[in-house]
Coordinates of all heavy atoms in Angstrom, one line a residue:
M28 N 47.3 147.5 98.3 CA 46.2 146.6 98.4 C 46.4 145.3 97.5 O 46.0 144.2 97.8 CB 44.9 147.3 98.0 CG 43.7 146.6 98.2 SD 43.5 146.3 100.0 CE 41.8 145.6 100.0
K29 N 47.0 145.5 96.3 CA 47.2 144.4 95.4 C 48.2 143.4 96.0 O 48.1 142.2 95.8 CB 47.7 144.9 94.1 CG 46.7 145.6 93.3 CD 47.2 146.0 91.9 CE 46.1 146.7 91.1 NZ 46.6 147.0 89.7
V30 N 49.2 143.9 96.8 CA 50.2 143.0 97.4 C 49.5 142.2 98.5 O 49.8 141.0 98.6 CB 51.3 143.9 98.0 CG1 52.3 143.0 98.8 CG2 52.1 144.6 96.9
A31 N 48.6 142.8 99.3 CA 47.8 142.1 100.3 C 47.0 140.9 99.7 O 47.0 139.8 100.2 CB 47.0 143.0 101.1
R32 N 46.3 141.2 98.5 CA 45.6 140.2 97.9 C 46.5 139.1 97.4 O 46.1 137.9 97.5 CB 44.8 140.8 96.7 CG 43.6 141.6 97.1 CD 42.9 142.1 95.8 NE 41.8 143.0 96.2 CZ 41.1 143.6 95.3 NH1 41.3 143.5 94.0 NH2 40.1 144.4 95.7
L33 N 47.6 139.4 96.8 CA 48.5 138.4 96.4 C 49.0 137.5 97.5 O 49.1 136.3 97.4 CB 49.7 139.1 95.6 CG 50.8 138.1 95.1 CD1 50.2 137.3 94.0 CD2 51.9 138.9 94.5
L34 N 49.3 138.2 98.7 CA 49.8 137.4 99.8 C 48.7 136.5 100.3 O 48.9 135.3 100.7 CB 50.3 138.3 100.9 CG 51.6 139.0 100.6 CD1 51.9 140.0 101.7 CD2 52.7 138.1 100.5
I35 N 47.4 136.9 100.4 CA 46.3 136.1 100.8 C 46.1 134.9 99.8 O 45.9 133.8 100.2 CB 45.0 136.9 100.9 CG1 45.2 137.9 102.1 CG2 43.8 136.0 101.1 CD1 44.1 138.9 102.2
L36 N 46.2 135.2 98.5 CA 46.1 134.2 97.5 C 47.2 133.1 97.7 O 46.9 131.9 97.6 CB 46.1 134.8 96.1 CG 46.1 133.8 94.9 CD1 44.8 133.2 94.8 CD2 46.5 134.5 93.7
L37 N 48.4 133.5 97.9 CA 49.5 132.6 98.1 C 49.3 131.8 99.3 O 49.6 130.6 99.4 CB 50.8 133.3 98.1 CG 51.3 133.9 96.7 CD1 52.6 134.7 96.9 CD2 51.5 132.7 95.7
A38 N 48.8 132.4 100.4 CA 48.6 131.7 101.7 C 47.5 130.6 101.5 O 47.7 129.5 102.0 CB 48.2 132.7 102.8
V39 N 46.4 130.9 100.8 CA 45.4 130.0 100.6 C 45.9 128.8 99.7 O 45.6 127.7 99.9 CB 44.1 130.7 100.0 CG1 43.1 129.7 99.5 CG2 43.5 131.6 101.0
L40 N 46.7 129.2 98.7 CA 47.2 128.2 97.8 C 48.1 127.2 98.6 O 48.1 126.0 98.4 CB 48.0 128.8 96.6 CG 48.6 127.9 95.6 CD1 47.6 127.1 94.9 CD2 49.5 128.7 94.7
V41 N 49.0 127.7 99.4 CA 49.9 126.9 100.2 C 49.1 126.0 101.2 O 49.4 124.9 101.4 CB 50.9 127.8 101.0 CG1 51.7 127.0 102.0 CG2 51.9 128.4 100.0
A42 N 48.0 126.6 101.8 CA 47.2 125.8 102.7 C 46.5 124.7 101.9 O 46.4 123.5 102.5 CB 46.2 126.7 103.3
G43 N 46.1 124.9 100.7 CA 45.5 123.9 99.9 C 46.5 122.8 99.6 O 46.1 121.6 99.6
L44 N 47.7 123.2 99.2 CA 48.7 122.2 98.9 C 49.1 121.4 100.2 O 49.3 120.1 100.1 CB 50.0 122.9 98.4 CG 49.8 123.5 97.0 CD1 51.0 124.3 96.6 CD2 49.6 122.3 96.0
V45 N 49.2 122.0 101.3 CA 49.5 121.3 102.6 C 48.4 120.3 102.9 O 48.6 119.1 103.3 CB 49.7 122.3 103.7 CG1 49.8 121.6 105.1 CG2 51.0 123.0 103.5
I46 N 47.1 120.7 102.8 CA 46.0 119.8 103.1 C 46.0 118.6 102.1 O 45.8 117.5 102.5 CB 44.6 120.6 102.9 CG1 44.5 121.6 104.1 CG2 43.5 119.6 102.9 CD1 43.3 122.5 104.0
G47 N 46.3 118.9 100.8 CA 46.3 117.8 99.9 C 47.5 116.9 100.1 O 47.3 115.6 100.0
A48 N 48.6 117.4 100.6 CA 49.8 116.5 100.8 C 49.6 115.7 102.1 O 50.1 114.5 102.1 CB 51.0 117.4 100.9
L49 N 49.1 116.3 103.1 CA 48.9 115.6 104.4 C 47.8 114.5 104.4 O 47.8 113.6 105.2 CB 48.7 116.6 105.5 CG 49.9 117.5 105.8 CD1 49.5 118.5 106.9 CD2 51.1 116.7 106.2
N50 N 46.8 114.7 103.5 CA 45.7 113.8 103.4 C 45.6 113.1 102.1 O 44.8 113.3 101.3 CB 44.4 114.6 103.6 CG 44.3 115.2 105.0 OD1 44.3 114.5 106.0 ND2 44.4 116.5 105.0
S51 N 46.6 112.2 101.9 CA 46.7 111.6 100.6 C 46.1 110.2 100.5 O 46.2 109.4 99.6 CB 48.2 111.5 100.1 OG 48.9 110.7 101.1
Q52 N 45.4 109.8 101.6 CA 44.7 108.5 101.6 C 43.6 108.4 100.6 O 42.9 109.4 100.4 CB 44.1 108.2 103.0 CG 45.2 108.1 104.1 CD 45.4 109.5 104.7 OE1 44.7 110.5 104.4 NE2 46.5 109.6 105.5
D53 N 43.4 107.2 100.0 CA 42.2 107.1 99.1 C 40.9 106.9 99.9 O 40.9 106.4 101.0 CB 42.5 105.8 98.3 CG 43.6 106.0 97.2 OD1 43.8 107.2 96.9 OD2 44.2 105.0 96.8
M54 N 39.9 107.4 99.3 CA 38.6 107.3 99.9 C 37.5 107.1 98.8 O 37.8 107.5 97.6 CB 38.2 108.6 100.7 CG 38.1 109.8 100.0 SD 37.4 111.2 100.9 CE 35.6 110.9 100.7
T55 N 36.4 106.6 99.2 CA 35.3 106.4 98.2 C 34.1 107.1 98.8 O 33.7 106.9 99.9 CB 35.0 104.9 98.0 OG1 36.2 104.3 97.6 CG2 33.9 104.7 97.0
L56 N 33.5 108.0 98.0 CA 32.3 108.8 98.4 C 31.2 108.1 97.7 O 31.0 108.2 96.5 CB 32.5 110.2 98.1 CG 31.3 111.1 98.4 CD1 31.1 111.2 99.9 CD2 31.6 112.5 97.9
N57 N 30.3 107.5 98.4 CA 29.1 106.8 97.8 C 27.9 107.7 97.9 O 27.5 108.1 98.9 CB 28.9 105.5 98.6 CG 27.9 104.6 97.9 OD1 27.3 105.0 96.9 ND2 27.7 103.4 98.5
L58 N 27.4 108.0 96.7 CA 26.3 108.9 96.6 C 25.0 108.2 96.3 O 23.9 108.8 96.1 CB 26.5 109.9 95.4 CG 27.8 110.8 95.6 CD1 28.0 111.6 94.3 CD2 27.7 111.7 96.8
G59 N 24.9 106.9 96.4 CA 23.7 106.1 96.2 C 23.6 105.6 94.8 O 23.5 104.4 94.5
F60 N 23.7 106.5 93.8 CA 23.6 106.2 92.4 C 25.0 106.0 91.8 O 25.1 105.5 90.7 CB 22.8 107.1 91.6 CG 23.2 108.6 91.7 CD1 24.2 109.1 90.8 CD2 22.7 109.4 92.7 CE1 24.6 110.4 90.9 CE2 23.2 110.7 92.8 CZ 24.1 111.2 91.9
T61 N 26.0 106.5 92.4 CA 27.4 106.4 91.9 C 28.4 106.5 93.1 O 28.0 106.9 94.2 CB 27.7 107.5 90.8 OG1 29.0 107.3 90.3 CG2 27.7 108.9 91.5
A62 N 29.6 106.1 92.8 CA 30.6 106.2 93.8 C 31.8 107.0 93.2 O 32.2 106.8 92.0 CB 31.1 104.8 94.2
I63 N 32.3 107.9 94.0 CA 33.5 108.7 93.5 C 34.7 108.3 94.3 O 34.7 108.3 95.5 CB 33.1 110.2 93.7 CG1 31.9 110.6 92.9 CG2 34.3 111.1 93.3 CD1 31.4 112.0 93.2
H64 N 35.8 108.0 93.6 CA 37.0 107.6 94.2 C 38.0 108.8 94.1 O 38.2 109.4 93.1 CB 37.7 106.4 93.5 CG 36.8 105.2 93.5 ND1 36.6 104.4 94.6 CD2 36.0 104.7 92.5 CE1 35.8 103.5 94.3 NE2 35.4 103.6 93.1
S65 N 38.5 109.2 95.3 CA 39.3 110.4 95.4 C 40.2 110.3 96.6 O 40.1 109.4 97.4 CB 38.4 111.6 95.5 OG 39.2 112.8 95.7
S66 N 41.2 111.3 96.7 CA 42.0 111.3 97.9 C 41.2 112.2 98.9 O 40.4 113.0 98.6 CB 43.3 111.9 97.6 OG 43.2 113.3 97.2
T67 N 41.6 112.0 100.1 CA 40.9 112.8 101.2 C 41.2 114.3 101.1 O 40.3 115.1 101.3 CB 41.4 112.2 102.6 OG1 41.3 110.8 102.6 CG2 40.6 112.8 103.7
G68 N 42.4 114.6 100.8 CA 42.8 116.0 100.6 C 42.0 116.7 99.6 O 41.5 117.9 99.7
L69 N 41.8 116.1 98.4 CA 41.0 116.7 97.3 C 39.6 116.8 97.8 O 38.9 117.8 97.5 CB 41.1 115.8 96.1 CG 40.4 116.3 94.8 CD1 40.9 117.6 94.4 CD2 40.4 115.3 93.7
A70 N 39.0 115.8 98.5 CA 37.6 115.9 98.9 C 37.4 117.1 99.9 O 36.5 117.8 99.8 CB 37.2 114.6 99.6
I71 N 38.4 117.3 100.8 CA 38.3 118.4 101.8 C 38.4 119.7 101.0 O 37.6 120.6 101.3 CB 39.4 118.2 102.8 CG1 39.2 117.1 103.7 CG2 39.6 119.5 103.6 CD1 40.4 116.7 104.6
T72 N 39.3 119.8 100.1 CA 39.5 121.1 99.3 C 38.2 121.4 98.5 O 37.7 122.5 98.5 CB 40.7 121.0 98.4 OG1 41.8 120.7 99.2 CG2 40.9 122.3 97.7
V73 N 37.6 120.4 97.9 CA 36.4 120.6 97.1 C 35.3 121.0 98.0 O 34.5 121.9 97.7 CB 36.1 119.4 96.2 CG1 34.7 119.4 95.6 CG2 37.1 119.2 95.1
A74 N 35.2 120.4 99.2 CA 34.1 120.7 100.1 C 34.2 122.1 100.6 O 33.2 122.9 100.7 CB 34.1 119.7 101.3
L75 N 35.4 122.6 100.9 CA 35.6 123.9 101.4 C 35.3 124.9 100.3 O 34.7 126.0 100.5 CB 37.1 124.1 101.8 CG 37.5 123.5 103.2 CD1 39.0 123.6 103.4 CD2 36.7 124.2 104.3
L76 N 35.7 124.6 99.0 CA 35.4 125.5 97.9 C 33.9 125.6 97.6 O 33.4 126.7 97.4 CB 36.2 125.1 96.7 CG 36.0 125.9 95.4 CD1 36.6 127.3 95.6 CD2 36.7 125.2 94.2
T77 N 33.3 124.4 97.7 CA 31.8 124.4 97.5 C 31.1 125.2 98.5 O 30.2 126.0 98.2 CB 31.3 123.0 97.5 OG1 32.0 122.2 96.5 CG2 29.9 122.9 97.2
G78 N 31.5 125.1 99.8 CA 30.9 125.9 100.9 C 31.1 127.4 100.7 O 30.2 128.2 100.9
A79 N 32.3 127.8 100.2 CA 32.6 129.2 100.0 C 31.7 129.7 98.9 O 31.2 130.8 99.0 CB 34.0 129.4 99.7
I80 N 31.6 129.0 97.8 CA 30.7 129.4 96.7 C 29.3 129.5 97.1 O 28.6 130.5 96.7 CB 30.9 128.5 95.5 CG1 32.4 128.7 94.9 CG2 29.9 128.7 94.4 CD1 32.8 127.7 93.9
I81 N 28.8 128.5 97.8 CA 27.4 128.5 98.2 C 27.1 129.7 99.2 O 26.1 130.4 99.1 CB 27.0 127.2 98.9 CG1 26.9 126.1 97.8 CG2 25.6 127.3 99.6 CD1 26.7 124.7 98.3
G82 N 28.1 129.9 100.1 CA 27.9 131.1 101.1 C 27.9 132.4 100.3 O 27.1 133.3 100.7
A83 N 28.8 132.6 99.4 CA 28.9 133.8 98.6 C 27.6 134.0 97.8 O 27.0 135.1 97.7 CB 30.1 133.8 97.6
G84 N 27.0 132.9 97.3 CA 25.8 133.0 96.5 C 24.6 133.4 97.4 O 23.8 134.2 97.1
L85 N 24.6 132.9 98.7 CA 23.5 133.2 99.6 C 23.6 134.7 100.0 O 22.6 135.4 100.2 CB 23.6 132.3 100.8 CG 23.1 130.9 100.6 CD1 23.4 130.1 101.9 CD2 21.7 130.8 100.2
V86 N 24.9 135.2 100.2 CA 25.0 136.6 100.6 C 24.6 137.5 99.4 O 23.9 138.5 99.6 CB 26.5 136.9 100.9 CG1 26.8 138.4 101.0 CG2 26.8 136.3 102.3
L87 N 24.9 137.1 98.2 CA 24.5 137.8 97.0 C 23.0 137.9 96.9 O 22.4 139.0 96.7 CB 25.1 137.2 95.7 CG 24.8 137.8 94.4 CD1 25.6 139.2 94.3 CD2 25.2 136.9 93.3
V88 N 22.3 136.8 97.0 CA 20.9 136.7 96.9 C 20.2 137.4 98.1 O 19.2 138.1 97.9 CB 20.4 135.3 96.8 CG1 18.9 135.2 96.9 CG2 20.9 134.7 95.4
G89 N 20.7 137.2 99.3 CA 20.1 137.7 100.5 C 20.4 139.2 100.9 O 19.5 139.8 101.5
V90 N 21.5 139.7 100.4 CA 21.9 141.0 100.8 C 22.1 142.0 99.7 O 21.6 143.0 99.6 CB 23.2 141.0 101.7 CG1 23.6 142.4 102.1 CG2 22.9 140.1 103.0
V91 N 23.0 141.6 98.7 CA 23.5 142.5 97.7 C 22.3 142.8 96.7 O 22.1 144.0 96.4 CB 24.7 141.9 97.0 CG1 25.1 142.7 95.8 CG2 25.8 141.7 97.9
I92 N 21.6 141.8 96.2 CA 20.6 142.1 95.2 C 19.5 143.0 95.8 O 19.0 143.9 95.2 CB 20.0 140.8 94.6 CG1 21.2 140.2 93.8 CG2 18.8 141.0 93.8 CD1 20.8 138.8 93.2
P93 N 19.0 142.7 97.1 CA 18.0 143.6 97.6 C 18.5 145.0 97.9 O 17.7 146.0 97.7 CB 17.6 143.0 99.0 CG 17.9 141.5 98.8 CD 19.1 141.5 97.9
L94 N 19.8 145.2 98.2 CA 20.3 146.5 98.4 C 20.4 147.3 97.1 O 20.1 148.5 97.0 CB 21.7 146.5 99.1 CG 21.7 146.2 100.5 CD1 23.1 146.1 101.1 CD2 20.9 147.3 101.3
Y95 N 20.8 146.6 96.0 CA 20.8 147.2 94.7 C 19.4 147.6 94.3 O 19.2 148.7 93.7 CB 21.4 146.3 93.6 CG 22.9 146.4 93.5 CD1 23.6 145.2 93.5 CD2 23.5 147.6 93.4 CE1 25.0 145.3 93.4 CE2 24.9 147.6 93.3 CZ 25.6 146.5 93.3 OH 27.0 146.5 93.2
S96 N 18.4 146.8 94.6 CA 17.0 147.1 94.3 C 16.5 148.4 95.0 O 15.9 149.2 94.4 CB 16.1 145.9 94.6 OG 14.8 146.2 94.4
R97 N 16.9 148.4 96.3 CA 16.5 149.6 97.1 C 17.2 150.9 96.6 O 16.6 151.9 96.5 CB 16.8 149.4 98.6 CG 15.9 148.5 99.2 CD 16.2 148.2 100.7 NE 16.4 149.4 101.4 CZ 17.0 149.5 102.6 NH1 17.4 148.4 103.2 NH2 17.1 150.6 103.2
L98 N 18.4 150.7 96.1 CA 19.2 151.8 95.6 C 18.6 152.4 94.3 O 18.4 153.6 94.1 CB 20.7 151.4 95.4 CG 21.6 152.5 94.8 CD1 21.7 153.7 95.8 CD2 22.9 152.0 94.5
R99 N 18.2 151.4 93.4 CA 17.5 151.8 92.2 C 16.2 152.6 92.4 O 15.9 153.6 91.8 CB 17.3 150.6 91.3 CG 18.4 150.4 90.3 CD 18.1 149.3 89.3 NE 18.8 148.1 89.8 CZ 18.2 147.0 90.2 NH1 16.9 146.8 90.1 NH2 18.9 146.0 90.6
K100 N 15.4 152.1 93.4 CA 14.2 152.7 93.7 C 14.4 154.1 94.3 O 13.7 155.0 94.0 CB 13.4 151.8 94.7 CG 12.8 150.6 94.1 CD 12.0 149.8 95.2 CE 11.5 148.5 94.6 NZ 10.9 147.7 95.6
A101 N 15.4 154.2 95.2 CA 15.7 155.5 95.8 C 16.2 156.5 94.7 O 15.9 157.7 94.8 CB 16.8 155.4 96.9
Q102 N 17.0 156.1 93.7 CA 17.5 157.0 92.7 C 16.3 157.4 91.8 O 16.3 158.5 91.3 CB 18.5 156.3 91.9 CG 19.9 156.2 92.6 CD 20.9 155.4 91.8 OE1 20.6 154.7 90.9 NE2 22.2 155.6 92.2
K103 N 15.3 156.5 91.5 CA 14.2 156.9 90.7 C 13.3 157.9 91.5 O 12.7 158.8 90.9 CB 13.4 155.7 90.3 CG 14.0 154.8 89.3 CD 13.2 153.6 88.9 CE 13.8 152.8 87.9 NZ 13.0 151.6 87.6
A104 N 13.2 157.7 92.8 CA 12.3 158.6 93.6 C 12.9 160.0 93.8 O 12.2 160.9 94.0 CB 12.0 157.9 94.9
A105 N 14.2 160.1 93.8 CA 14.9 161.3 94.1 C 14.7 162.3 92.9 O 14.8 161.8 91.8 CB 16.4 161.1 94.4
P106 N 14.4 163.5 93.2 CA 14.3 164.5 92.1 C 15.7 164.7 91.4 O 16.7 164.5 92.0 CB 13.8 165.8 92.7 CG 14.2 165.6 94.1 CD 14.2 164.2 94.5
A107 N 15.6 165.0 90.1 CA 16.8 165.3 89.4 C 17.6 166.4 90.1 O 17.0 167.5 90.4 CB 16.6 165.6 88.0
A108 N 18.9 166.3 90.2 CA 19.7 167.3 90.9 C 19.8 168.5 90.0 O 20.1 168.4 88.8 CB 21.1 166.8 91.2
A109 N 19.4 169.7 90.5 CA 19.5 170.9 89.7 C 20.9 171.4 89.8 O 21.6 171.3 90.7 CB 18.6 172.0 90.4
P110 N 21.4 172.0 88.7 CA 22.7 172.5 88.6 C 22.9 173.7 89.6 O 22.0 174.5 89.8 CB 22.9 173.0 87.2 CG 21.6 173.1 86.6 CD 20.7 172.2 87.4
V111 N 24.0 173.8 90.3 CA 24.2 174.8 91.3 C 24.7 176.1 90.6 O 25.6 176.0 89.8 CB 25.3 174.4 92.3 CG1 25.6 175.5 93.3 CG2 24.9 173.1 93.0
A112 N 24.0 177.1 90.8 CA 24.3 178.4 90.2 C 25.5 179.1 91.0 O 25.4 179.1 92.2 CB 23.1 179.4 90.2
S113 N 26.4 179.5 90.2 CA 27.6 180.2 90.9 C 27.1 181.6 91.3 O 26.6 182.4 90.5 CB 28.8 180.2 90.0 OG 28.5 181.0 88.8
S114 N 27.4 181.9 92.5 CA 27.0 183.3 93.0 C 28.3 184.1 93.0 O 29.4 183.7 93.3 CB 26.5 183.2 94.4 OG 27.5 182.7 95.3
S115 N 28.1 185.4 92.6 CA 29.2 186.3 92.6 C 29.4 186.8 94.0 O 28.5 187.4 94.6 CB 29.0 187.4 91.6 OG 27.8 188.1 91.9
S116 N 30.6 186.6 94.5 CA 30.9 187.1 95.8 C 31.9 188.2 95.8 O 32.7 188.3 94.9 CB 31.6 185.9 96.6 OG 32.0 186.3 97.8
P117 N 31.7 189.2 96.7 CA 32.6 190.3 96.7 C 34.0 189.9 97.2 O 34.9 190.7 97.0 CB 32.0 191.3 97.7 CG 31.1 190.5 98.5 CD 30.6 189.3 97.7
F118 N 34.1 188.8 97.8 CA 35.4 188.3 98.2 C 36.2 187.8 97.1 O 35.8 186.9 96.4 CB 35.3 187.2 99.3 CG 36.5 186.7 99.8 CD1 37.3 187.5 100.7 CD2 37.0 185.4 99.5 CE1 38.5 187.0 101.2 CE2 38.2 184.9 100.0 CZ 38.9 185.7 100.9
D119 N 37.4 188.4 96.8 CA 38.2 188.1 95.6 C 39.4 187.2 96.0 O 40.2 186.9 95.1 CB 38.7 189.3 94.9 CG 39.6 190.2 95.7 OD1 39.8 189.9 96.9 OD2 40.1 191.2 95.2
G120 N 39.5 186.7 97.2 CA 40.5 185.7 97.6 C 41.8 186.3 98.1 O 42.8 185.7 98.3
R121 N 41.9 187.6 98.3 CA 43.1 188.3 98.8 C 43.1 188.3 100.3 O 42.3 188.4 101.1 CB 43.2 189.7 98.3 CG 43.5 189.7 96.9 CD 43.8 191.2 96.5 NE 43.3 191.3 95.1 CZ 43.2 192.4 94.5 NH1 43.6 193.5 95.0 NH2 42.8 192.5 93.3

């Protein structure tokens, strides 16, 4: 599994380098109150990273946190597990 993660990481890194290299034109992003000068490749990479972070945050808030809350409530509502008493069986394993 660690090898697969490493290969995915390397593939994403290479894709980012290729995007940055192929889109080296200068651009100006005007935000109204300020202007940001950057290359097109950097702007695309930052936009993709920002979208991934916002998407992960929405999944965390919309799915993961409510599931953890339901799990905690279910664990509090469940009775404490009683220890299982060992029964003596006439079967001795032969």
Side-chain angles (χ1 to χ4, degrees):
M28 188 65 172
K29 290 183 181 184
V30 174
R32 286 184 185 176
L33 181 63
L34 290 175
I35 291 171
L36 176 70
L37 288 174
V39 170
L40 181 65
V41 168
L44 290 172
V45 168
I46 289 172
L49 293 177
N50 297 295
S51 61
Q52 300 86 10
D53 288 335
M54 66 169 274
T55 302
L56 181 62
N57 191 354
L58 301 175
F60 56 89
T61 187
I63 300 172
H64 301 284
S65 173
S66 69
T67 309
L69 181 63
I71 290 170
T72 305
V73 168
L75 287 171
L76 181 63
T77 303
I80 291 171
I81 290 173
L85 289 174
V86 168
L87 181 72
V88 169
V90 177
V91 175
I92 292 175
L94 284 176
Y95 274 130
S96 175
R97 286 177 52 194
L98 180 62
R99 266 187 258 118
K100 286 179 186 176
Q102 286 176 342
K103 285 181 183 178
V111 177
S113 62
S114 62
S115 58
S116 173
F118 180 71
D119 62 357
R121 290 187 214 173

